[in-house]
Amino acid sequence: GSIEGISIFDGVNIKNFSSNYGINNASVTCLKFDNNNVAWFGQAGYGLSLFDGYNFKNIFENTKYSNATINSILNHNDSTILSTNDGLLILQSGSIDALKFQSQTFSNEITCSLVDRNNRKWFGTKNGLFYIENGKCNLIDFKNDKCNFRIRCITQDREGKI
């Protein structure tokens, strides 16, 4: 995914898909394949779309989330968690639930996500890092450090360290 849309390389050729193929907006911010090989991709200011290899489906069309910027996609168990510039969106059983933080500690601009090997869901924000475990949000405290902790990506190494 790029600001030009989606490109698919089949091992020989590259096929490019942009707004003239049914994508709401060519500016793709993130991309994730599910277990059925369907491409889920977030867009800057245009929400979420799916591509099954043949057709595009704009998920948030005509909803209050149609203008959302999706920064990361986390498929976990039977739900999909979308990190947006305005909190988390949770898609489960055909419904969409929004999770926003009222605390000044957490930022609603969530930039990235990861499920670790202990099943914790990690989220990076413009001002730090937190994880959700057993339904509880846990902040990683960077108060004593004098750096800007805008987290842009999260990964886990072979030893399980985040």
Side-chain angles (χ1 to χ4, degrees), residues 80-104:
T80 299
I81 303 171
L82 307 172
S83 301
T84 77
N85 285 351
D86 195 27
L88 296 172
L89 295 177
I90 302 166
L91 283 66
Q92 191 168 21
S93 303
S95 68
I96 305 167
D97 295 311
L99 176 60
K100 292 186 182 183
F101 300 103
Q102 303 303 318
S103 167
Q104 298 222 358

Side-chain angles (χ1 to χ4, degrees), residues 45-147:
Y46 286 87
L48 178 71
S49 294
L50 303 179
F51 181 62
D52 64 5
Y54 305 99
N55 300 300
F56 288 95
K57 181 178 179 183
N58 299 310
I59 301 301
F60 294 151
E61 202 165 59
N62 301 319
T63 72
K64 63 182 176 180
Y65 304 112
S66 62
N67 294 326
T69 293
I70 309 299
N71 296 316
S72 73
I73 302 166
L74 190 64
N75 294 320
H76 185 252
N77 296 333
D78 293 334
S79 64
T80 299
I81 303 171
L82 307 172
S83 301
T84 77
N85 285 351
D86 195 27
L88 296 172
L89 295 177
I90 302 166
L91 283 66
Q92 191 168 21
S93 303
S95 68
I96 305 167
D97 295 311
L99 176 60
K100 292 186 182 183
F101 300 103
Q102 303 303 318
S103 167
Q104 298 222 358
T105 307
F106 295 116
S107 168
N108 280 315
E109 185 179 332
I110 301 174
T111 55
C112 54
S113 57
L114 167 83
V115 175
D116 72 13
R117 62 174 73 160
N118 294 319
N119 228 16
R120 293 176 295 202
K121 296 161 205 74
W122 291 83
F123 299 95
T125 73
K126 71 175 191 173
N127 64 354
L129 182 68
F130 70 94
Y131 65 94
I132 298 175
E133 184 174 34
N134 300 321
K136 181 181 176 204
C137 289
N138 301 280
L139 177 68
I140 304 301
D141 189 358
F142 294 118
K143 287 184 213 169
N144 295 329
D145 297 312
K146 294 187 169 64
C147 297

